[in-house]
Amino acid sequence: MTLAVLYINNMHLVTLEGKGIDKPMDLKGKRVSTGAPGSGTEVKALRVLEAYGLDPDKDMKRDKLGASESAGALKDGKIDAYFWDGGLPTASVTDLGATPGVKMKLIAHADAVPKMTEKYGPLYFKGVIRQRCIRDRIRR
């Protein structure tokens, strides 16, 4: 039971330009961090993957890293993408986007929401994280 919503968590699917990932189905065969074990990020990431018919243990090489560890691993070429669920702005994403020479990319996945709400109830809704807003925050 929810007593109060303090802030909205936004699911981020983060990658870099040149990784060949333009949509969630492109995660197949890639190395992906789904969040720290037992975290809310992991729970939601697994539900997003399930909505796309992807098995995180068979369709990709799965890492279980926290947000900042995931961003570092992506920047260092150790993973191809990561999930992060949190409020905006979030340091792992803005710091990655501020790294010189790094071209971060957010992958849309809102079309997973109907399947997620069908199975888990009206917990999820569509939203947009504007990458331009992240870049503008970085410049401040």
Coordinates of all heavy atoms in Angstrom, one line a residue, residues 55-120:
D55 N 14.3 -12.6 -22.4 CA 14.8 -13.3 -21.1 C 16.1 -12.8 -20.8 O 17.1 -13.0 -21.5 CB 14.8 -14.8 -21.4 CG 15.2 -15.6 -20.2 OD1 16.0 -15.1 -19.3 OD2 14.7 -16.8 -20.0
P56 N 16.3 -12.1 -19.7 CA 17.5 -11.4 -19.3 C 18.7 -12.4 -19.1 O 19.8 -12.0 -19.1 CB 17.2 -10.7 -18.0 CG 16.0 -11.3 -17.5 CD 15.2 -11.9 -18.6
D57 N 18.4 -13.7 -18.8 CA 19.4 -14.7 -18.5 C 19.8 -15.5 -19.8 O 20.8 -16.2 -19.8 CB 19.0 -15.6 -17.4 CG 18.8 -14.8 -16.1 OD1 19.7 -13.9 -15.8 OD2 17.8 -15.0 -15.4
K58 N 19.0 -15.4 -20.8 CA 19.2 -16.2 -22.0 C 19.5 -15.3 -23.2 O 20.3 -15.6 -24.1 CB 18.1 -17.1 -22.4 CG 17.9 -18.2 -21.4 CD 16.7 -19.1 -21.7 CE 16.4 -20.1 -20.7 NZ 15.2 -20.9 -20.9
D59 N 18.8 -14.1 -23.3 CA 18.9 -13.3 -24.5 C 20.0 -12.3 -24.5 O 20.3 -11.6 -25.4 CB 17.6 -12.6 -24.7 CG 16.4 -13.6 -25.1 OD1 16.8 -14.6 -25.8 OD2 15.3 -13.3 -24.8
M60 N 20.6 -12.1 -23.3 CA 21.7 -11.1 -23.1 C 22.6 -11.5 -22.1 O 22.3 -12.5 -21.3 CB 21.1 -9.7 -22.8 CG 20.3 -9.7 -21.5 SD 19.2 -8.3 -21.3 CE 18.0 -8.6 -22.6
K61 N 23.8 -10.9 -22.0 CA 24.7 -11.2 -20.9 C 24.3 -10.1 -19.8 O 24.4 -8.9 -20.1 CB 26.1 -11.0 -21.4 CG 27.1 -11.6 -20.5 CD 28.4 -12.0 -21.3 CE 29.0 -13.1 -20.5 NZ 30.3 -13.4 -20.9
R62 N 24.0 -10.6 -18.7 CA 23.4 -9.7 -17.7 C 24.4 -9.4 -16.5 O 25.0 -10.3 -16.0 CB 22.2 -10.4 -17.1 CG 21.4 -9.6 -16.1 CD 20.2 -10.3 -15.7 NE 19.6 -9.7 -14.5 CZ 18.9 -10.3 -13.6 NH1 18.7 -11.6 -13.7 NH2 18.4 -9.7 -12.6
D63 N 24.5 -8.1 -16.3 CA 25.3 -7.6 -15.1 C 24.3 -7.1 -14.1 O 23.2 -6.6 -14.5 CB 26.3 -6.5 -15.5 CG 27.5 -7.1 -16.2 OD1 27.4 -7.5 -17.4 OD2 28.5 -7.2 -15.6
K64 N 24.7 -7.0 -12.9 CA 23.8 -6.5 -11.8 C 24.5 -5.5 -11.0 O 24.9 -5.7 -9.9 CB 23.3 -7.7 -10.9 CG 22.6 -8.8 -11.6 CD 22.3 -10.0 -10.7 CE 21.7 -11.1 -11.4 NZ 21.3 -12.2 -10.6
L65 N 24.6 -4.3 -11.7 CA 25.3 -3.2 -11.1 C 24.4 -2.1 -10.7 O 23.4 -1.9 -11.2 CB 26.3 -2.6 -12.1 CG 27.3 -3.7 -12.8 CD1 28.0 -3.0 -13.9 CD2 28.2 -4.2 -11.8
G66 N 24.9 -1.3 -9.7 CA 24.1 -0.1 -9.3 C 24.3 1.0 -10.4 O 25.0 0.8 -11.3
A67 N 23.6 2.1 -10.1 CA 23.6 3.2 -11.2 C 25.0 3.7 -11.5 O 25.3 3.8 -12.7 CB 22.7 4.3 -10.7
S68 N 25.7 4.1 -10.5 CA 27.0 4.7 -10.9 C 28.0 3.7 -11.4 O 28.8 4.0 -12.3 CB 27.6 5.5 -9.7 OG 27.9 4.6 -8.6
E69 N 27.9 2.5 -10.9 CA 28.8 1.4 -11.4 C 28.4 1.1 -12.9 O 29.3 0.8 -13.7 CB 28.7 0.1 -10.6 CG 29.2 0.3 -9.2 CD 28.2 0.8 -8.2 OE1 27.0 1.0 -8.5 OE2 28.6 1.1 -7.1
S70 N 27.1 1.1 -13.2 CA 26.6 0.9 -14.5 C 27.1 1.9 -15.5 O 27.6 1.6 -16.6 CB 25.1 0.8 -14.6 OG 24.6 -0.3 -13.9
A71 N 27.0 3.2 -15.1 CA 27.5 4.3 -15.9 C 29.0 4.2 -16.2 O 29.4 4.4 -17.3 CB 27.1 5.6 -15.3
G72 N 29.8 3.8 -15.2 CA 31.2 3.7 -15.4 C 31.5 2.5 -16.3 O 32.4 2.6 -17.2
A73 N 30.8 1.4 -16.1 CA 31.0 0.2 -17.0 C 30.6 0.5 -18.4 O 31.3 0.1 -19.4 CB 30.2 -1.0 -16.5
L74 N 29.6 1.3 -18.6 CA 29.2 1.7 -20.0 C 30.2 2.6 -20.6 O 30.7 2.3 -21.8 CB 27.8 2.4 -20.0 CG 27.2 2.8 -21.3 CD1 27.0 1.7 -22.3 CD2 25.9 3.6 -21.1
K75 N 30.7 3.5 -19.9 CA 31.7 4.5 -20.3 C 33.0 3.7 -20.7 O 33.7 4.0 -21.6 CB 32.0 5.5 -19.3 CG 32.9 6.6 -19.7 CD 32.9 7.8 -18.8 CE 32.8 7.5 -17.3 NZ 32.9 8.6 -16.4
D76 N 33.3 2.7 -19.9 CA 34.6 1.9 -20.1 C 34.4 0.8 -21.1 O 35.4 0.0 -21.3 CB 35.0 1.3 -18.7 CG 35.5 2.4 -17.7 OD1 35.8 3.5 -18.2 OD2 35.5 2.1 -16.5
G77 N 33.3 0.6 -21.7 CA 33.0 -0.4 -22.7 C 32.8 -1.8 -22.2 O 32.9 -2.8 -22.9
K78 N 32.5 -1.9 -20.9 CA 32.3 -3.2 -20.3 C 30.9 -3.7 -20.4 O 30.6 -4.9 -20.3 CB 32.7 -3.2 -18.8 CG 34.2 -2.9 -18.6 CD 34.6 -2.8 -17.1 CE 36.0 -2.5 -17.0 NZ 36.4 -2.2 -15.6
I79 N 30.0 -2.8 -20.6 CA 28.6 -3.2 -20.9 C 28.1 -2.3 -22.1 O 28.7 -1.3 -22.4 CB 27.6 -3.0 -19.7 CG1 27.6 -1.5 -19.2 CG2 28.0 -3.9 -18.5 CD1 26.5 -1.2 -18.1
D80 N 27.0 -2.7 -22.6 CA 26.4 -2.0 -23.8 C 25.2 -1.1 -23.4 O 24.9 -0.1 -24.2 CB 25.9 -3.0 -24.8 CG 27.1 -3.8 -25.4 OD1 28.0 -3.3 -25.9 OD2 27.0 -5.1 -25.2
A81 N 24.6 -1.3 -22.3 CA 23.4 -0.5 -21.9 C 23.2 -0.8 -20.4 O 23.6 -1.8 -19.8 CB 22.2 -0.9 -22.7
Y82 N 22.4 0.1 -19.8 CA 22.0 -0.2 -18.4 C 20.6 0.4 -18.1 O 20.2 1.4 -18.8 CB 23.0 0.3 -17.4 CG 23.1 1.8 -17.1 CD1 22.4 2.4 -16.1 CD2 24.0 2.6 -17.9 CE1 22.6 3.7 -15.8 CE2 24.2 3.9 -17.6 CZ 23.5 4.5 -16.5 OH 23.6 5.8 -16.3
F83 N 19.9 -0.2 -17.2 CA 18.7 0.3 -16.7 C 18.9 1.1 -15.4 O 19.8 0.7 -14.6 CB 17.7 -0.8 -16.4 CG 17.1 -1.5 -17.6 CD1 17.7 -2.5 -18.2 CD2 15.9 -1.0 -18.1 CE1 17.1 -3.1 -19.3 CE2 15.3 -1.6 -19.2 CZ 15.9 -2.7 -19.8
W84 N 18.2 2.2 -15.2 CA 18.2 2.9 -13.9 C 16.8 3.5 -13.7 O 16.2 4.0 -14.6 CB 19.2 4.0 -13.9 CG 19.0 5.0 -12.8 CD1 18.7 6.3 -12.9 CD2 19.1 4.7 -11.4 NE1 18.5 6.9 -11.7 CE2 18.8 5.9 -10.7 CE3 19.4 3.6 -10.7 CZ2 18.7 6.0 -9.3 CZ3 19.3 3.6 -9.3 CH2 19.0 4.8 -8.6
D85 N 16.3 3.3 -12.5 CA 15.0 3.8 -12.1 C 15.2 4.8 -11.0 O 15.6 4.4 -9.9 CB 14.1 2.6 -11.7 CG 12.7 3.0 -11.5 OD1 12.1 3.7 -12.3 OD2 12.1 2.6 -10.4
G86 N 14.8 6.0 -11.2 CA 15.0 7.0 -10.2 C 14.4 8.3 -10.6 O 13.9 8.5 -11.7
G87 N 14.4 9.3 -9.7 CA 13.9 10.6 -9.9 C 14.8 11.4 -10.9 O 16.0 11.0 -11.1
L88 N 14.3 12.5 -11.4 CA 15.1 13.3 -12.3 C 15.6 14.6 -11.5 O 14.8 15.1 -10.7 CB 14.2 13.7 -13.5 CG 13.8 12.6 -14.4 CD1 12.8 13.2 -15.4 CD2 14.9 11.9 -15.0
P89 N 16.7 15.1 -11.8 CA 17.8 14.4 -12.6 C 18.5 13.4 -11.7 O 18.4 13.4 -10.5 CB 18.8 15.6 -12.9 CG 18.6 16.5 -11.7 CD 17.2 16.4 -11.3
T90 N 19.2 12.5 -12.4 CA 19.9 11.4 -11.6 C 21.4 11.5 -12.0 O 21.7 11.6 -13.2 CB 19.3 10.1 -11.9 OG1 19.9 9.1 -11.1 CG2 19.4 9.6 -13.3
A91 N 22.2 11.5 -11.0 CA 23.7 11.7 -11.2 C 24.3 10.8 -12.2 O 25.2 11.2 -13.0 CB 24.4 11.7 -9.9
S92 N 24.0 9.5 -12.1 CA 24.7 8.5 -13.0 C 24.4 8.9 -14.5 O 25.3 8.7 -15.3 CB 24.2 7.1 -12.8 OG 23.0 6.8 -13.3
V93 N 23.3 9.4 -14.8 CA 22.9 9.7 -16.2 C 23.5 11.1 -16.6 O 24.2 11.2 -17.6 CB 21.4 9.7 -16.4 CG1 21.0 10.1 -17.8 CG2 20.9 8.3 -16.1
T94 N 23.4 12.1 -15.7 CA 23.9 13.4 -16.1 C 25.4 13.4 -16.1 O 26.0 14.0 -17.0 CB 23.4 14.5 -15.1 OG1 23.7 14.1 -13.8 CG2 21.9 14.7 -15.2
D95 N 26.1 12.7 -15.2 CA 27.5 12.6 -15.2 C 28.0 11.9 -16.5 O 29.0 12.3 -17.1 CB 28.1 11.9 -14.0 CG 27.9 12.6 -12.7 OD1 27.5 13.8 -12.8 OD2 28.1 12.1 -11.6
L96 N 27.3 10.8 -16.9 CA 27.7 10.1 -18.1 C 27.5 11.1 -19.3 O 28.4 11.2 -20.2 CB 26.9 8.9 -18.3 CG 27.1 8.1 -19.6 CD1 28.5 7.5 -19.5 CD2 26.1 7.0 -19.7
G97 N 26.4 11.8 -19.3 CA 26.2 12.7 -20.4 C 27.1 13.9 -20.5 O 27.4 14.5 -21.5
A98 N 27.8 14.2 -19.4 CA 28.7 15.3 -19.3 C 30.1 14.9 -19.6 O 31.0 15.7 -19.7 CB 28.7 15.9 -17.9
T99 N 30.4 13.6 -19.8 CA 31.7 13.1 -20.1 C 32.1 13.5 -21.5 O 31.4 13.2 -22.5 CB 31.7 11.6 -20.0 OG1 31.3 11.2 -18.7 CG2 33.1 11.0 -20.2
P100 N 33.2 14.2 -21.6 CA 33.7 14.6 -23.0 C 33.9 13.4 -23.9 O 34.4 12.4 -23.5 CB 35.0 15.3 -22.7 CG 34.9 15.8 -21.3 CD 34.1 14.7 -20.6
G101 N 33.4 13.5 -25.1 CA 33.6 12.5 -26.1 C 32.6 11.3 -26.0 O 32.6 10.4 -26.8
V102 N 31.7 11.4 -25.0 CA 30.7 10.4 -24.8 C 29.4 10.9 -25.4 O 28.9 12.0 -25.0 CB 30.5 10.0 -23.3 CG1 29.3 9.1 -23.1 CG2 31.8 9.3 -22.8
K103 N 28.7 10.1 -26.2 CA 27.4 10.5 -26.8 C 26.4 9.5 -26.2 O 26.1 8.4 -26.8 CB 27.4 10.5 -28.3 CG 28.4 11.6 -28.8 CD 28.1 11.8 -30.3 CE 29.1 13.0 -30.7 NZ 28.7 13.5 -31.9
M104 N 25.8 9.9 -25.1 CA 24.8 9.1 -24.5 C 23.5 9.1 -25.2 O 23.2 10.0 -25.9 CB 24.5 9.7 -23.1 CG 23.6 8.9 -22.2 SD 23.3 9.8 -20.7 CE 22.3 11.1 -21.2
K105 N 22.8 8.0 -25.1 CA 21.5 7.9 -25.8 C 20.5 7.2 -24.8 O 20.8 6.2 -24.2 CB 21.7 7.0 -27.0 CG 20.6 6.9 -28.0 CD 21.2 6.4 -29.3 CE 20.7 5.1 -29.7 NZ 21.1 4.7 -31.0
L106 N 19.3 7.7 -24.7 CA 18.2 7.1 -24.0 C 17.3 6.4 -24.9 O 16.9 6.9 -26.0 CB 17.4 8.2 -23.2 CG 18.2 9.0 -22.2 CD1 17.3 10.0 -21.5 CD2 18.8 8.1 -21.1
I107 N 16.9 5.1 -24.5 CA 16.1 4.3 -25.4 C 14.6 4.3 -24.9 O 14.4 4.0 -23.7 CB 16.6 2.9 -25.4 CG1 18.1 2.8 -25.9 CG2 15.8 2.0 -26.3 CD1 18.4 3.4 -27.2
A108 N 13.7 4.7 -25.8 CA 12.3 4.7 -25.4 C 11.8 3.3 -25.2 O 12.2 2.3 -26.0 CB 11.5 5.4 -26.5
H109 N 10.9 3.1 -24.2 CA 10.4 1.8 -24.0 C 8.9 1.9 -23.4 O 8.4 1.0 -22.8 CB 11.3 1.0 -23.0 CG 11.6 1.8 -21.7 ND1 12.6 2.7 -21.7 CD2 11.0 1.8 -20.5 CE1 12.6 3.3 -20.5 NE2 11.7 2.7 -19.8
A110 N 8.3 3.0 -23.7 CA 6.9 3.2 -23.1 C 5.9 2.2 -23.7 O 4.9 2.0 -23.0 CB 6.5 4.7 -23.4
D111 N 6.2 1.6 -24.8 CA 5.2 0.7 -25.4 C 5.2 -0.6 -24.6 O 4.3 -1.5 -24.8 CB 5.4 0.4 -26.9 CG 6.9 0.1 -27.2 OD1 7.8 0.3 -26.4 OD2 7.1 -0.5 -28.3
A112 N 6.0 -0.7 -23.6 CA 6.0 -1.9 -22.7 C 4.9 -1.7 -21.6 O 4.4 -2.7 -21.0 CB 7.3 -2.1 -22.0
V113 N 4.5 -0.5 -21.4 CA 3.5 -0.2 -20.3 C 2.2 -1.0 -20.3 O 1.8 -1.5 -19.3 CB 3.3 1.3 -20.1 CG1 2.2 1.7 -19.2 CG2 4.6 2.1 -19.7
P114 N 1.6 -1.1 -21.4 CA 0.3 -1.8 -21.4 C 0.5 -3.3 -20.9 O -0.3 -3.8 -20.1 CB -0.2 -1.8 -22.9 CG 0.4 -0.5 -23.4 CD 1.8 -0.4 -22.7
K115 N 1.5 -4.0 -21.4 CA 1.7 -5.3 -20.9 C 2.1 -5.4 -19.4 O 1.7 -6.3 -18.7 CB 2.8 -6.0 -21.7 CG 2.4 -6.4 -23.1 CD 3.4 -7.2 -23.8 CE 3.0 -7.6 -25.2 NZ 3.9 -8.3 -26.0
M116 N 2.8 -4.4 -19.0 CA 3.2 -4.4 -17.5 C 2.0 -4.1 -16.7 O 1.8 -4.7 -15.6 CB 4.3 -3.3 -17.3 CG 5.6 -3.7 -18.0 SD 6.8 -2.3 -18.0 CE 7.1 -2.1 -16.3
T117 N 1.1 -3.2 -17.1 CA -0.1 -2.9 -16.2 C -1.1 -4.0 -16.3 O -1.8 -4.3 -15.3 CB -0.7 -1.5 -16.7 OG1 -1.1 -1.6 -18.0 CG2 0.2 -0.4 -16.4
E118 N -1.1 -4.7 -17.4 CA -2.0 -5.8 -17.6 C -1.6 -6.9 -16.5 O -2.5 -7.5 -15.9 CB -1.9 -6.4 -19.0 CG -2.9 -7.6 -19.2 CD -2.7 -8.1 -20.7 OE1 -2.7 -7.3 -21.6 OE2 -2.6 -9.3 -20.8
K119 N -0.3 -7.2 -16.4 CA 0.1 -8.2 -15.5 C 0.2 -7.8 -14.0 O -0.1 -8.5 -13.1 CB 1.5 -8.8 -16.0 CG 2.0 -9.9 -15.1 CD 3.1 -10.7 -15.7 CE 3.5 -11.8 -14.9 NZ 4.5 -12.6 -15.4
Y120 N 0.7 -6.5 -13.8 CA 1.1 -6.1 -12.5 C 0.1 -5.0 -11.9 O 0.3 -4.6 -10.8 CB 2.5 -5.6 -12.4 CG 3.5 -6.7 -12.8 CD1 4.1 -6.7 -14.1 CD2 3.8 -7.7 -11.9 CE1 5.0 -7.7 -14.4 CE2 4.7 -8.7 -12.3 CZ 5.3 -8.7 -13.5 OH 6.2 -9.7 -13.9

